[in-house]
Amino acid sequence: MSGTYLIGVDGSEQSRVALAWGLARAGERGAAVELLHVADDSFLSESVAFLSEAQQASEQMLAAETEYARSLGFTGKISGSAVVGHPIAEIEEASRHADLLVLGAHGGGRLAGSFFGTRAVKAAATAHCPVAVIPKDDVRRDSTVVVGVDGSDASKKAIAFAAEEASFRGLPLVAVYAWMPPLTPGLEYLWSEELVESQRAAAEEAIAIGVAGLASRYPDLEIRREIVQAPPVAALVQAAEGADLLVVGSRGRGGISRLLLGSVSHGVLQALPCPVIVTRA
């Protein structure tokens, strides 16, 4: 993957970790980088003077982060946009022309103009390209690439993305399918061995279909299959502890529901055990 990486910046420690991650990846892939700073106008006066001052501050932030990016040794193409507006709307529009959106993870909205934390979840739901959310304490682990499998078209996109990533990095691909028996409180005693076996068989079939064809496309790729009887979010978070990357799919539903991520992708972004990429269906 080359193309253009859109990286959100706000000068904070969290966003600089994400910036470093995005620049390193762009350097490996020969991608151009576009930095984006959004000054949130939600609480600003609508007067021309206030908006002009906010625009000037946004441009100063962009210039400082561009200089910082160069100080990290990135020699590729860097462009940038400094805008005043609604962060999620501005990110969504900018993502139309990007191949990957990279955001840092904040614990909350402590910084003016910041569009991270829970906003990263909203950005992942509305963006038109895959979204990478990077934890504050990210370190390059070079261990595994983990991907969630559930048999859906969204997970097929995630598997394809994760397989290419793992092959490029020379890392094992860990495909995780998590399943739970039907939960009917008070009636657990009705679970039969046949029911459990059918659930397990369905899981094995889904993961086999999900990784089918990868061995011929990536002959040197090591593929590990993990079928786990556990809630999906818990299973993925555990598998991704110490991983280099976790990839999950988003169904990308239309209408107002596009503002919502599925429970699994939302859950892993909240836990963020390692860098997480949410792919588009």
Side-chain angles (χ1 to χ4, degrees):
M1 178 188 293
S2 54
T4 300
Y5 291 1
L6 177 66
I7 306 176
V9 295
D10 69 2
S12 68
E13 181 181 356
Q14 292 91 330
S15 77
R16 285 193 166 184
V17 170
L19 176 57
W21 187 94
L23 291 174
R25 181 187 171 93
E28 293 171 350
R29 303 301 184 99
V33 168
E34 179 180 351
L35 306 184
L36 174 65
H37 180 265
V38 183
D40 192 343
D41 66 356
S42 302
F43 304 102
L44 296 177
S45 165
E46 294 184 359
S47 71
V48 174
F50 272 101
L51 293 178
S52 176
E53 185 174 338
Q55 180 63 42
Q56 183 179 3
S58 184
E59 291 172 357
Q60 290 173 346
M61 175 63 71
L62 177 64
E65 294 310 287
T66 300
E67 182 178 354
Y68 177 75
R70 287 300 185 194
S71 76
L72 296 178
F74 182 72
T75 58
K77 180 182 177 181
I78 299 181
S79 59
S81 299
V83 298
V84 179
H86 188 281
I88 301 304
E90 297 294 343
I91 293 170
E92 178 183 2
E93 182 60 30
S95 73
R96 292 179 184 274
H97 312 291
D99 297 281
L100 180 69
L101 168 63
V102 182
L103 300 176
H106 284 267
R110 296 176 295 145
L111 300 172
S114 168
F115 50 80
F116 303 100
T118 56
R119 288 182 176 178
V121 174
K122 295 178 182 177
T126 59
H128 297 273
C129 64
V131 179
V133 182
I134 314 304
K136 178 181 175 181
D137 60 348
D138 177 56
V139 294
R140 293 302 294 266
R141 301 168 176 85
D142 291 332
S143 56
T144 60
V145 173
V146 178
V147 62
V149 180
D150 65 7
S152 67
D153 288 339
S155 79
K156 292 176 183 177
K157 293 281 188 178
I159 293 168
F161 188 103
E164 193 279 335
E165 186 73 21
S167 177
F168 182 88
R169 298 192 186 188
L171 300 176
L173 175 67
V174 180
V176 178
Y177 188 108
W179 66 280
M180 290 289 290
L183 297 178
T184 306
L187 297 180
E188 291 87 350
Y189 64 91
L190 293 180
W191 294 348
S192 65
E193 184 62 28
E194 290 78 9
L195 173 62
V196 173
E197 283 302 320
S198 67
Q199 291 279 341
R200 186 176 293 112
E204 290 174 350
E205 179 181 11
I207 202 168
I209 293 174
V211 302
L214 294 184
S216 59
R217 186 171 183 180
Y218 306 106
D220 296 329
L221 177 62
E222 178 187 349
I223 303 173
R224 303 174 186 170
R225 308 182 186 192
E226 293 189 4
I227 298 176
V228 184
Q229 185 175 333
V233 172
L236 289 171
V237 169
Q238 182 175 356
E241 290 290 349
D244 194 68
L245 183 68
L246 169 60
V247 183
V248 292
S250 170
R251 287 172 171 77
R253 296 166 294 180
I256 193 170
S257 62
R258 71 186 179 85
L259 298 176
L260 303 174
L261 278 180
S263 59
V264 174
S265 48
H266 185 282
V268 297
L269 285 181
Q270 291 293 332
L272 214 60
C274 66
V276 173
I277 291 183
V278 180
T279 60
R280 315 306 304 171

